[in-house]
């Protein structure tokens, strides 16, 4: 197997080592000021700083002045400054991909510097200083990662990435119109159409794959759980590998449910030796003119020069399959590590991605990350045209490409092989003594609809300081659902209060041919709708859970204009800024909680499991948790059970679920009356 030049993660890890982490102490800078500073750093990031205070700060800033205050004694700062002095850093006005080793390491040098800063003024000074010197997109990634993980920036909301990098999401045609509007000094509001035309069956689900909120979810999840994270950056992130499995498993299941809503077949998993049928034409360009590459239809997957051969990925896949079959992996010391247990999925997730938590990256490689790059280069595998990175090489855009879902169906199949080798749950593991569900139903319509959503293009067009910003924006169609509630009647026959975990799932009742999914097939296709803790009093408990409360979802990230208005109002009034509900954007947009459905109504099997909260609880005080983000915001998991429990393991006989009173199911229908999403 030839040496892989992509993802030399282990070697890269040592470059970031330092002892200690930022002090987690409150500082005197109000949140509104912090939010203002971060927004100012990201405003028109391809231009010099516009904010007068930040300009003044940078003009008097000496980056080598107080290095003794850094936990690593200034090693990271000196290294970054040396790279700068030796002209080793990526030039400005070039594209950046987190999958490019060299570029990622440069961005993470800055992330490392920012994470070590002991106070806000120092951090913002270094950020502003390197904003002027680093490649713009490297800077954006480094700053987003640092804000996400530094205690100094707790409760700072990262602006939506589609407004900071609008050219990643907005067609070249629309950006041309925006530039013309800017030149003419006339405000403009332009429609963005989905990629392709109704001649392409995939166009029917473009409302999902090209949803900018879905892209934000995927980008933010990877910021929260970066593959490059190790314990030198900060605290250990629990269950990172397992969550890698779960987020992609859910994306697969949700995409399949959208396909069934639109009379399309389920996604077929990728086969390295078969034709990749669906091409992709993004219609987008990088800021300075390079277009996002096109992949034609019906290609045979080729080796990619300087990246990998297809055979390399097949070898990695076979090593992973062997580990699953044997029930153990071999760590880098050569010892066997058992994976036929609840922790196995976490080890496997770290290996497959791979993350720096992989116990043996030299042997198991980096199947997922390498596959993203290999598939991304299929339009130009021999680098004849030196094309820019593809949509698959950015977390911001990966979910737009049909090949993303085929790749992750292939990876999901490996996870399923592992899960199916674990012993099925028995009755004792599933039942909750003395607790029974009497009834479940939905209050309100299960109905989705299409709406227009507007976002700003202010960061897409250049200007001079003295030119006032114009209102230039685009709007795109997106899916939303009407409000509804889950009504659950539960009897607690125990003598006292009991803490329960209420887990709500749904799966498509029928496949594209109208055949009912058997229970064991259906449960693997289940979409997680909600999970929450509830104290049950003795006797009858009537629980109403609103769709907007779902712990698997988050509200839409506020626009840069909304953030600006809230921040300025708080600074002017000297009042506190409250944006807590928007801080973790790792969840799915609440708008996408349920699949689209269709005019006739798509049947879903709705299942509810009520499990023993005291046994599930990983932390105390759960009954006071109004809401937790179960993608595990900041790596905190209130729930000890595996993601997907109790549907995560093979079910040889579904009667076991029908025999336990704390499990209930019913059939519901999801409707949508905008049968055709229009091409404006």
């Amino acid at each position: 197997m030839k040496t892989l030049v992509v993802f030399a993660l282990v070697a890269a890890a040592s470059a970031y080592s330092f002892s200690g982490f930022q002090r987690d102490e409150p500082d005197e800078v109000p949140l509104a000021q912090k939010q203002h500073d971060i927004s100012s750093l990201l405003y028109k990031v391809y231009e010099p700083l516009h904010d007068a205070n930040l300009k003044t700060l940078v003009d008097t800033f000496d980056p080598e002045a107080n290095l003794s205050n850094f936990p690593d004694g200034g090693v990271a700062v000196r290294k970054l400054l040396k790279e700068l002095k030796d002209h080793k850093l990526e030039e400005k006005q070039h594209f950046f991909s987190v999958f490019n080793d060299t570029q990622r390491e440069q961005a993470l040098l800055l992330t490392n510097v920012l994470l070590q800063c002991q106070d806000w003024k120092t951090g913002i000074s270094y950020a502003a200083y390197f904003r002027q010197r680093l490649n713009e997109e490297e800077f954006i990634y480094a700053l987003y990662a640092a804000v996400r993980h530094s205690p100094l920036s707790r409760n700072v909301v990262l602006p939506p990435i589609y407004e900071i990098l609008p050219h990643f999401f907005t067609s070249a045609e629309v950006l041309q119109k925006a530039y013309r509007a800017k030149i003419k000094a006339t405000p403009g509001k332009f429609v963005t159409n989905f990629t392709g035309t109704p001649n392409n069956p995939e166009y029917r689900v473009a409302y999902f794959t090209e949803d900018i909120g879905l892209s934000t979810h995927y980008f933010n999840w990877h910021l929260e759980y970066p593959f490059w994270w190790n314990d030198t950056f900060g605290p250990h992130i629990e269950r990172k590998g397992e969550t890698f499995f779960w987020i992609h498993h859910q994306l697969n299941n949700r995409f399949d449910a959208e396909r069934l809503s639109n009379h399309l077949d389920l996604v077929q998993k990728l086969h390295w030796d078969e034709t990749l049928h669906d091409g992709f034409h993004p219609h987008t360009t990088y800021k300075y003119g390079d277009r996002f590459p096109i992949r034609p239809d019906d290609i045979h997957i080729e080796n990619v020069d300087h990246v990998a051969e297809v055979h390399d990925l097949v070898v990695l896949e076979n090593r992973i399959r062997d580990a699953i079959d044997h029930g153990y992996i071999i760590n880098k010391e050569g010892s066997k590590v058992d994976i036929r247990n609840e922790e196995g999925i976490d080890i496997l997730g770290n290996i497959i991605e791979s993350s720096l938590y992989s116990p043996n990256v030299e042997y198991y490689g980096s199947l997922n990350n390498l596959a993203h790059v290999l598939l991304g280069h299929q339009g130009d595998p021999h680098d004849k045209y030196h094309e820019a990175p593809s949509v698959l090489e950015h977390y911001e855009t990966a979910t737009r490409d049909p090949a993303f879902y085929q790749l992750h169906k292939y990876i999901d199949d490996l996870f399923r092989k592992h899960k199916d080798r674990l012993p099925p749950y028995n009755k004792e593991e599933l039942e909750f003594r003395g607790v029974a569900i009497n009834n479940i139903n939905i209050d309100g319509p299960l109905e989705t609809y299409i709406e227009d959503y507007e976002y700003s293009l202010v960061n897409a067009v250049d200007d001079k300081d003295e030119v006032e910003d114009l209102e230039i924006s685009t709007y795109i169609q997106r899916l939303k659902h009407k409000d509804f509630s889950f009504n659950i009647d539960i009897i607690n026959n125990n003598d006292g209060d009991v803490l329960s975990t209420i887990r709500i799932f749904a799966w498509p009742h029928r496949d594209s041919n109208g055949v009912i999914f058997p229970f064991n097939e259906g449960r693997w296709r289940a979409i997680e709708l909600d999970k929450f803790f509830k104290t049950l009093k003795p006797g009858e408990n009537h629980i109403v859970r609103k769709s907007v409360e779902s712990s698997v979802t988050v509200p839409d990230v506020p626009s840069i204009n909304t953030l600006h208005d809230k921040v300025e109002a708080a600074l002017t009034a000297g009042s506190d800024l409250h944006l807590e509900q928007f801080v973790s954007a790792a969840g799915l947009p609440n708008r996408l909680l349920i699949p689209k459905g269709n005019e006739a109504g798509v049947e879903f099997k709705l299942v509810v499991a009520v499990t023993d909260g005291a046994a599930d609880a990983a932390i105390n005080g759960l009954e006071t948790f109004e809401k937790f983000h179960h993608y595990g915001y900041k790596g905190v998991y209130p729930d000890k059970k595996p993601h997907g429990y109790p549907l995560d393991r093979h079910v040889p006989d579904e009667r076991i679920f029908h025999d336990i009173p704390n499990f209930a199911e019913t059939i519901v229908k999801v409707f949508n009356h905008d049968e055709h999403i229009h091409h404006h």
Side-chain angles (χ1 to χ4, degrees):
M1 189 171 178
K2 73 174 183 179
T3 307
L4 304 179
V5 295
V6 184
F7 311 111
L9 289 173
V10 172
S14 58
Y16 317 130
S17 298
F18 65 85
S19 56
F21 191 59
Q22 326 90 294
R23 278 178 303 199
D24 195 354
E25 293 172 6
D27 52 1
E28 300 306 311
V29 181
L31 180 60
Q33 184 61 47
K34 293 181 177 184
Q35 187 71 54
H36 170 88
D37 291 344
I38 295 301
S39 296
S40 300
L41 285 168
L42 291 165
Y43 174 74
K44 290 190 177 286
V45 78
Y46 294 92
E47 298 174 17
L49 280 164
H50 286 251
D51 185 82
N53 291 335
L54 289 178
K55 279 186 194 170
T56 307
L57 205 58
V58 170
D59 290 344
T60 57
F61 180 64
D62 175 4
E64 296 184 84
N66 294 301
L67 297 186
S68 59
N69 291 338
F70 280 79
D72 72 347
V75 170
V77 175
R78 286 194 193 93
K79 176 158 188 181
L80 189 49
L81 290 169
K82 183 173 185 340
E83 297 285 287
L84 181 66
K85 187 177 158 210
D86 295 348
H87 304 289
K88 294 290 188 189
L89 297 179
E90 185 65 65
E91 292 175 46
K92 280 179 173 278
Q93 303 188 8
H94 278 212
F95 38 72
F96 159 81
S97 166
V98 71
F99 291 104
N100 177 307
D101 276 356
T102 307
Q103 293 178 334
R104 180 182 67 254
E105 287 174 36
Q106 290 173 7
L108 294 184
L109 280 170
L110 177 56
T111 299
N112 189 1
V113 167
L114 298 177
L115 284 176
Q116 291 191 67
C117 291
Q118 304 288 300
D119 62 83
W120 186 256
K121 186 179 177 184
T122 303
I124 220 70
S125 300
Y126 275 104
Y129 180 84
F130 284 109
R131 180 194 189 274
Q132 297 185 324
R133 291 160 176 83
L134 237 64
N135 170 278
E136 300 90 344
E137 288 167 22
E138 277 187 7
F139 171 77
I140 291 169
Y141 187 81
L143 184 66
Y144 266 69
V147 169
R148 177 55 67 217
H149 289 280
S150 171
L152 292 173
S153 48
R154 178 172 291 133
N155 290 336
V156 170
V157 173
L158 288 165
I161 194 67
Y162 50 83
E163 290 190 323
I164 302 302
L165 293 171
H167 43 283
F168 275 41
F169 303 89
T170 315
S171 71
E173 297 91 329
V174 169
L175 292 184
Q176 284 295 328
K177 291 176 186 173
Y179 269 107
R180 284 199 292 273
K182 185 76 182 182
I183 291 163
K184 291 177 183 173
T186 52
K189 182 175 166 182
F190 311 106
V191 63
T192 289
N193 289 313
F194 295 120
T195 300
T197 70
N199 295 334
N200 177 4
E202 294 300 313
Y203 183 74
R204 290 186 228 163
V205 284
Y207 67 86
F208 180 81
T209 58
E210 297 182 31
D211 187 292
I212 52 179
L214 184 74
S215 298
T216 306
H217 155 61
Y218 194 64
F219 175 66
N220 278 292
W221 184 87
H222 276 286
L223 279 176
E224 199 86 64
Y225 294 87
F227 68 83
W228 46 260
W229 186 266
N230 62 22
D231 296 353
T232 60
F233 280 108
H236 187 82
I237 300 174
E238 288 178 34
R239 293 172 69 174
K240 188 151 80 78
E242 183 192 4
T243 312
F244 171 80
F245 147 67
W246 186 245
I247 190 177
H248 291 96
H249 180 65
Q250 285 296 294
L251 277 174
N252 273 322
N253 288 357
R254 286 179 171 280
F255 187 46
D256 272 343
E258 299 296 346
R259 297 180 74 82
L260 292 172
S261 296
N262 290 281
H263 313 289
L264 293 171
D265 287 338
L266 303 172
V267 173
Q268 295 302 306
K269 73 174 183 178
L270 186 78
H271 291 274
W272 294 116
D273 56 352
E274 291 181 15
T275 302
L276 185 59
H277 290 295
D278 292 312
F280 188 60
H281 190 324
H283 287 283
T284 47
T285 55
Y286 284 88
K287 174 72 174 176
Y288 292 103
D290 290 278
R291 67 176 193 178
F292 277 83
I294 298 164
R295 185 185 63 253
D297 283 350
D298 297 315
I299 59 159
H300 187 74
I301 300 171
E302 291 190 53
N303 301 334
V304 174
D305 295 357
H306 314 300
V307 174
E309 295 178 6
V310 174
H311 176 69
D312 297 338
L313 285 109
V314 174
V315 169
L316 295 178
E317 177 195 336
N318 287 335
R319 289 175 180 176
I320 291 162
R321 285 180 180 276
D322 284 348
I324 292 166
D325 287 341
H326 288 130
Y328 61 81
I329 59 105
I330 306 291
N331 67 16
K332 60 178 178 286
E333 289 77 36
S335 306
K336 294 177 181 177
V337 179
D338 183 21
I339 58 169
R340 220 161 264 180
N341 51 42
E342 279 196 358
E343 286 71 47
I345 189 78
D346 193 46
I347 295 169
L348 213 51
N350 286 326
I351 280 173
I352 288 173
E353 186 173 23
S354 75
S355 82
L356 288 184
Y357 289 179
S358 169
N360 194 345
V361 77
E362 290 92 342
Y363 184 66
Y364 294 108
S366 187
L367 181 61
N368 169 79
N369 290 355
L370 204 51
H372 268 258
V373 180
L374 185 99
L375 290 173
H377 279 68
Q378 287 305 304
D380 181 27
H382 307 301
D383 204 26
K384 287 182 183 177
Y385 309 107
H386 197 55
E387 289 201 314
S390 71
V391 293
L392 288 171
E393 292 163 83
H394 300 281
Y395 293 129
E396 301 95 314
T397 52
T399 54
R400 300 166 85 84
D401 188 336
F404 170 87
Y405 300 93
Q406 290 173 263
L407 168 63
H408 284 286
K409 185 67 75 89
Y410 152 80
I411 287 172
D412 198 55
D413 193 54
L414 294 173
F415 286 124
R416 182 171 187 176
K417 280 182 167 38
H418 161 72
K419 282 281 191 178
D420 281 355
R421 277 171 170 69
L422 299 176
Y425 294 117
N426 59 38
K427 193 176 177 186
E428 288 69 40
E429 291 171 304
L430 292 172
E431 67 183 352
F432 185 6
R433 292 268 167 89
V435 172
I437 302 174
N438 264 4
N439 187 42
I440 53 172
N441 64 60
I442 303 277
D443 191 12
L446 283 180
E447 187 181 329
T448 66
Y449 59 96
I450 300 296
E451 66 167 17
D452 284 339
Y453 177 71
E454 184 180 354
Y455 64 92
S456 170
L457 296 179
V458 70
N459 286 322
V461 290
D462 303 322
D463 62 17
K464 302 285 186 290
D465 249 0
E466 60 275 12
V467 179
E468 200 171 319
D469 274 339
L470 294 165
E471 281 293 318
I472 298 177
S473 63
T474 185
Y475 63 97
I476 191 164
Q477 293 181 318
R478 65 179 195 173
L479 190 68
K480 207 166 183 180
H481 62 82
K482 293 184 177 176
D483 287 339
F484 64 91
S485 298
F486 298 106
N487 289 339
I488 309 165
D489 292 311
I490 304 173
I491 296 277
N492 171 16
N493 291 318
N494 294 289
D495 292 337
D497 290 355
V498 292
L499 183 64
S500 69
T501 318
I502 298 175
R503 306 165 188 275
I504 307 175
F505 300 90
W507 65 75
H509 190 45
R510 298 172 190 273
D511 67 14
S512 53
N513 294 316
V515 178
I516 293 172
F517 282 115
F519 190 94
N520 187 53
E521 246 348 273
R523 60 95 205 167
W524 185 253
R525 300 181 183 283
I527 292 164
E528 185 168 30
L529 295 175
D530 206 349
K531 174 165 67 174
F532 58 100
F533 296 95
K534 200 80 184 169
T535 300
L536 304 175
K537 64 184 192 308
E540 292 183 14
N541 292 262
H542 179 64
I543 291 161
V544 177
R545 178 75 167 182
K546 294 177 182 171
S547 57
V548 73
E549 296 173 309
S550 169
S551 70
V552 306
T553 66
V554 293
D556 287 322
V557 183
S559 69
I560 49 177
N561 289 337
T562 303
L563 284 173
H564 175 270
D565 292 348
K566 287 180 180 292
V567 164
E568 295 313 307
L571 287 173
T572 305
S575 57
D576 290 340
L577 183 67
H578 289 291
L579 296 169
E580 292 83 358
Q581 63 174 319
F582 304 113
V583 169
S584 172
L588 202 71
N590 187 266
R591 296 181 290 102
L592 299 178
L593 178 62
I594 56 173
K596 174 175 158 278
N598 60 32
E599 186 78 36
V602 178
E603 288 181 312
F604 285 85
K605 179 165 278 196
L606 178 71
V607 301
V608 178
V610 181
T611 62
D612 185 344
D616 300 341
I619 53 176
N620 294 325
L622 280 174
E623 56 278 6
T624 64
F625 258 58
E626 284 301 305
K627 175 170 178 168
F628 70 91
H629 200 282
H630 98 93
Y631 284 110
Y633 181 50
K634 299 283 187 229
V636 173
Y637 285 93
D639 180 22
K640 275 194 299 215
K641 288 287 190 285
H643 284 316
Y645 171 84
L647 303 175
D648 60 311
R649 293 194 187 181
H650 181 67
V651 181
D653 187 343
E654 67 184 89
R655 287 176 298 185
I656 188 169
F657 280 96
H658 299 150
D659 290 345
I660 55 170
N662 53 309
F663 181 88
E665 58 183 53
T666 188
I667 301 291
V668 296
K669 277 188 175 184
V670 181
F671 293 91
N672 177 284
H673 301 299
D674 316 291
E675 193 56 24
H676 297 289
I677 298 187
H678 307 291
H679 200 290
H680 291 275

